[in-house]
Structures are given as structure tokens and as C-alpha cells.
Amino acid sequence: MKSAKSAELYDRASKVMVGGVSSPVRAFKAVGGTPRFISRGKKAHIWDEDGNRYIDYVCSWGALILGHADRRVLAYVSEKMRNGTSFGAPTREEVLLAEKIRGAFPSVDKVRFVNSGTEATMSAVRAARGYARRAKVVKFEGCYHGHADQFLTKAGSGMATFDLPASAGVTEGSVADTVTLPFNDLGAAEAEFRKEGDKIAAVIVEPVAGNMGVVPPAKGFLSLLRRECTKSGAVLIFDEVITGFRVGPGGAQKLYGVEPDLTTLGKIIGGGFPVGAYGGKREIMEMVSPEGPVYQAGTLSGNPVAMAAGLKTLELLTGGSYDRLERSSKTLEEGLESGASRAGTDIHLNRVGSMIGLFFATEPVRNYAEAKKADAGAYRRFFWSMLGSGVYLAPSAFEATFVSLAHDTGDIEATVESAARSFKELDRS
Ligand SMILES: *Cc1c(COP(=O)(O)O)cnc(C)c1O
């Protein structure tokens, strides 16, 4: 497989951009080698600068649930763009997208648009603290809530990929009010609330963890958090930046039947453009400026192009879309299982709808400590073997595999065949 053009660009990029990339995991440090520079995407496929075609399971980290360059989204967005790309004033598209979100998420009375998931979680916690008039925030190991200072302890995604327990540049003061507990540990959560429940402003959790591979919530975990937050007056925040409109139309909160006080969204609701949103109970959201004393603002927030892309994407997602995603994801899951089992490779798959976590592990993975025990070397070899046969997986074992509506039977079958061969190669190496 040729990679000279990607290599040349990476070389140039490394001289003028930090790590040659705009976000760390993209640099392939966890798997080694040269990152592929992507020139084009269509449906389930992407092409790199050297002309290699891949079946893409990163899907812009889950944002592209319809696949690449959906013609209906493109048509709508280009029509809107001709009317101007940013006004710094309210537009119709924001109202329509907000109504759409409210319609899908009964727990969301009011919403505020921002430009990224990072902004959404950071602002949601600020609103929660303003509302509860308390300081402490509880989060969970291996969950990722963007890169705001207060979340950068034992976090998922790139922090997990590079095994960073903390980030330089974050002061002790910034994380002094952050409490990090093991994910899915009901006892630890209960104990924390018993100890200092009256100091906790908010609990923030990925209801399905998608930044340490994929780890579904243990039975009773989310409802326990709901119960404890209600009892102590803390705000429960579900970070649904990945799961919102991914695991179903009403996100993980609908799937598991647990309602948070605040929800953060991103990725899918931007249809491939930079967007985030936070929303929830009226009395909490009305704390936010200009209705209340919690300040939060943004020059490009609610950008009409991004809003239009998100709006069209959500319009195209119907109940049937999720049935189709479930079927193709299940076929992929079963194909991976059987390929690994025929090759005698130990893997453990965690799947919630179209989010799949592939762990080279002998035991089930229920939290960050168990995710870290998986064989990173095996993932690296598997990644390269798959890439060589035209399948683009996340360049880190601590990320999810995302199936989109554009992955058709042929794509899934080709992926399963490549995987079967790659598992066999692993066995020999
Ligand atoms: C991606 C992600 C974020 C951060 O969103 P950005 O748009 O990358 O800032 C926050 N929370 C979760 C759960 C995410 O997956």
C-alpha cells in the first residue's frame, strides 16, 4: 500500500503543527507509523492522499451517522450557505434544531448551543455549580468529557491512549473539586455520596462510556446515580456527546430509562460541522446568561451552517434508521466474534447499537482498569493489518468503532473477511 503522499504531508505538518495534527489521537502514536491524510469521503468510504480507499469506522469520531458527504445534507447546507455563513445574531435554524432536540429528549426543556463537546460539558458543569451553589464534581475513570481543566484526571480518549493520569498545565486548584470514581462501581458512588453528598454540585457521566473503547453501564449504575443526586440535591449530567442520536433517537437516557437533569450533546447534532449543546431542566438552564447569573457565550455559537447540517441529519434519522444500524452492527459484531474464535484469538466485544468496543482481552471489560488490561500490542497489529486490507479503525484501542447508516451489507461482509484474515495473522505473529 502506497503512503508516500501521506508521509510527505506528515513531514511538512510536523514542522508547522504540533505533532503534525490538530488533535492528538490522529497522530497514530498509539499504533505507530504514518497517519493517513484523508482527501475525500463518500458514504462508508474514505480515500487518502495516495488514493487508497478504506471502509471507515471512525466516522469523524461518531459524528457522521449518515456516512460521508450525504447528498441530502450537502444540498441543504449548500443552499443555506449561499445566504451567508455567520451573523452573530439569532437564526431560524437554531430554533428548529433546538425544537428537534427537545422533541427527542423529554428531559431537555431548554438548550444552549456551543461549538464543541468540550464547551458543552464545561458549560453544563458551570450551570450546575451555579444552580446547586456547591463546588464538587464527580466524574468517572476512563470517561472523557472534553479537555476543560477540571476533567483532565484519569480521563478517556487521548488521555487513556497516552496513559496520562493528569495533564501538565492544569493546576491543582482546577481539579481540587473534581472527584474521580471507578466507572460502574455502585459501592464507590454510594460511599462518596454518604461521605460528602451535600458538597456535590454535579455528577457527570458518559451513560455508555465510549472513550475507553465501549463500556456499557452496569445494571443499576445509572439509576443509582439518579437516586443519589436526587437525594442530595446534586445535578446529574449525562454526557451524550457520543450517545445522543447514536444509540437511539432519545440517546442513552431513553435506552436505559434514566433521566438526567442536564444533557450534553455534540458530534451527530452537527452533521459533520463543529457543534455542541447543553440543555435540561428549565430551572437549571434559566441560571444561564442572559436569563441568569451563570455566564456563557460564543461568537460562532449556533452557526447557521452547522445548525443546518445538524437539522438535516436529524430529519433523516427515523426509527427505521436505528433498526438498520442495529442489524448491520450486530452482523459486524458476530462476524468479528466468529473470525476471532476461528483464529483462536481472545477478544471481548462490548456493543451498544452502532458503538462497538473491541478489546483483546480474556475477561469482560466493565471499567477503565479492565480496559487497560487489554493487549494494546495485539490491537496495534490488528489495526495495521486491517488498514492494509482497506479498513480504517480508530488508531487507538481506547476508542469506539462506529457503524454508520452508509455501511451496507457489502461493506460489513468485506470488513468481516478482512478481520478473519487479520485475526489469523495475529495468531502467527
Ligand atoms: C468527543 C467528546 C467530547 C468532546 O467533544 P469535542 O467536540 O471533541 O470537544 C465530550 N464528551 C464526550 C463523551 C465525547 O465523546
Side-chain angles (χ1 to χ4, degrees), residues 364-396:
V365 175
R366 292 156 301 195
N367 56 39
Y368 186 42
E370 289 172 352
K372 286 216 286 193
K373 276 196 218 142
D375 184 346
Y379 186 87
R380 187 180 340 114
R381 296 198 302 279
F382 184 72
F383 167 86
W384 278 108
S385 174
M386 291 296 272
L387 196 77
S389 67
V391 179
Y392 191 91
L393 299 173
S396 160

Side-chain angles (χ1 to χ4, degrees), residues 116-118 121 144-146 206 211 239 241-242 267:
S116 67
T118 293
T121 52
Y144 179 67
H145 305 294
E206 285 183 76
N211 286 287
D239 182 354
V241 169
I242 289 181
K267 299 192 169 114

Side-chain angles (χ1 to χ4, degrees), residues 23 61 115-121 143-147 157 206 208 210-211 239-243 264-267 274-276 402:
S23 191
W61 304 102
N115 300 293
S116 67
T118 293
E119 270 188 76
T121 52
C143 284
Y144 179 67
H145 305 294
H147 65 84
S157 190
E206 285 183 76
V208 176
N211 286 287
D239 182 354
E240 299 228 38
V241 169
I242 289 181
T243 52
T264 55
L265 295 166
K267 299 192 169 114
V275 173
F402 292 106

